[in-house]
Every structure is written in C-alpha cells, then in structure tokens.
Amino acid sequence: MSVVAHLMRKAVGDVVFPYGEWAVFDRGGITETGATEGQGGRWFDLASLTKPHTATAVLAVAKERGISLDTYAAELLGRTDSWLKGITLRSLLTHTARLQAWYPLYADARPFFDIMSALPLGGEGMVYSDLGYMLLREVLCTVTGLDFAEVIRRYVSQPLGID
C-alpha cells in the first residue's frame, strides 16, 4: 500500500472525512489512483486547490492595473449588493471578509450572486472562506474581461513558466 493510500484510509478511520479519492502525478503523468472504501464517484469542492493561483492572479492584476488591495469588491464588480459593503480585495485575500466558509454551490442552481446575497455574514475575525476566493474569481474575470482559465494562464501560468 502506498503512503498516500495509507494516509487516506487512516483519515477515513479517524473520521477526518467519510470518503476520499486521489491521484498522484508527476511530469510524466498519473502514477497512482485510488479510493477509500465507501460510495465512489462523488463531486468534491476543489476551491482550496485554486487559492494560490487566485491570490497570485489578484496581486498581478492589481499591480498591472494600479488597483489597491483596499479597493472594494463592489466597486470593481460594478455592483451595489448590500452584503458586499466593506469587502475589500485585502479582506478577501486574508479571509477576513465576514463570508461563510463554504456553501455547496454545485448543488444549488441559482446564480452565484443570488446565493451569496441569501447567505448570512459572519462576525469579525478570520474565517477560511472558499466563497471569498470564489468572489475574487468574479472580480478577476470582471476586471480583466477574461474567463478564469485565461486569467490563470495569462497572470500565473505563463509568468511562472507553468504549463
């Protein structure tokens, strides 16, 4: 049993999560895949995997366009939604925007901004928020006029030499 398989099965046994799937890869391609016992073929939230790319792109776009990290998201999005009040790029990047940690967007057919406006805001402090980074994605796409994949290609992958 590989190290990854052992760790994944241990995590299920320790009730860290109920089920997991994995793929290990290197420059040559996929070297291992697997799944723990239980129901397979589930959808997983991959937001945390995109956070470093999103943050890098925000910093690159802000520098290129002369945008301060203290600029309000609502201003960049051209929106007046009340829940956006006081949310800056900095607060989104640092998980201090008072947004919920997570919501199963993939299971809700409403548009992103409709869902976000219906969710309650949290209190002060830091909440590690997938939703905040999804909002940063919307800001990036609005400011650049590009889809997210192209934003990442242009502002992260190409400058860092990642293909």
Side-chain angles (χ1 to χ4, degrees), residues 81-94:
D81 309 56
S82 62
W83 65 272
L84 282 168
K85 184 177 166 82
I87 294 177
T88 63
L89 295 180
R90 184 182 312 277
S91 68
L92 291 167
L93 286 166
T94 60

Side-chain angles (χ1 to χ4, degrees), residues 37-111:
E37 297 292 321
Q39 180 184 353
R42 296 183 183 185
W43 286 90
F44 294 95
D45 186 349
L46 299 178
S48 292
L49 298 176
T50 65
K51 284 183 179 72
H53 296 83
T54 303
T56 301
V58 167
L59 296 174
V61 169
K63 181 178 180 182
E64 177 186 274
R65 309 276 172 121
I67 299 169
S68 166
L69 296 182
D70 295 315
T71 302
Y72 293 107
E75 176 185 335
L76 296 170
L77 291 164
R79 299 186 66 95
T80 58
D81 309 56
S82 62
W83 65 272
L84 282 168
K85 184 177 166 82
I87 294 177
T88 63
L89 295 180
R90 184 182 312 277
S91 68
L92 291 167
L93 286 166
T94 60
H95 301 283
T96 57
R98 302 178 344 264
L99 298 177
Q100 298 293 314
W102 176 83
Y103 181 83
L105 295 168
Y106 54 83
D108 190 324
R110 294 177 294 166

